[in-house]
Amino acid sequence: EKNKKGMIRSILIHGLDSSSQTWRGTLESLDNVGLAGFAIDCRGCGRSELGDPDDFCVDGVVEDLNELADSLGFLSDGPFVLVGHSMGGRVAMAY
């Protein structure tokens, strides 16, 4: 994750039953051209805990994504790009 002023930043959201590792090559490619990327583990996937199973839904992941974007300063620091695969695309569209 990089947070340089004026840099286009992106958050990459994996598909169901996957993890942030899906985006390893993409993150390397973004970095090679000077763009910042941050891949998340959606709740219940990768290194993230599931929490309350009733909260495992698109809206719950959107809330998590918003909290992450805020904690990274993305919400107050200009636009950012969401990239999603499969379920991650649904989350990005719901955001």
Side-chain angles (χ1 to χ4, degrees):
E1 156 234 347
K2 296 177 184 175
N3 197 6
K4 298 176 183 172
K5 289 280 186 190
M7 178 181 275
I8 297 172
R9 295 146 313 151
S10 57
I11 298 177
L12 292 79
I13 312 159
H14 63 77
L16 188 62
D17 198 28
S18 191
S19 75
S20 59
Q21 294 302 306
T22 300
W23 299 106
R24 191 175 37 222
T26 303
L27 290 170
E28 289 174 13
S29 295
L30 288 171
D31 189 54
N32 287 341
V33 296
L35 298 175
F38 189 86
I40 66 167
D41 281 328
C42 294
R43 59 174 71 193
C45 300
R47 295 177 300 225
S48 293
E49 294 183 19
L50 176 59
D52 185 347
D54 290 337
D55 292 334
F56 186 73
C57 60
V58 170
D59 289 340
V61 178
V62 166
E63 287 177 23
D64 296 341
L65 180 59
N66 194 58
E67 288 177 19
L68 173 69
D70 188 35
S71 72
L72 292 173
F74 285 16
L75 298 182
S76 61
D77 217 13
F80 61 96
V81 176
L82 296 177
V83 179
H85 172 258
S86 189
M87 181 196 77
R90 173 102 163 78
V91 170
M93 289 188 313
Y95 189 86

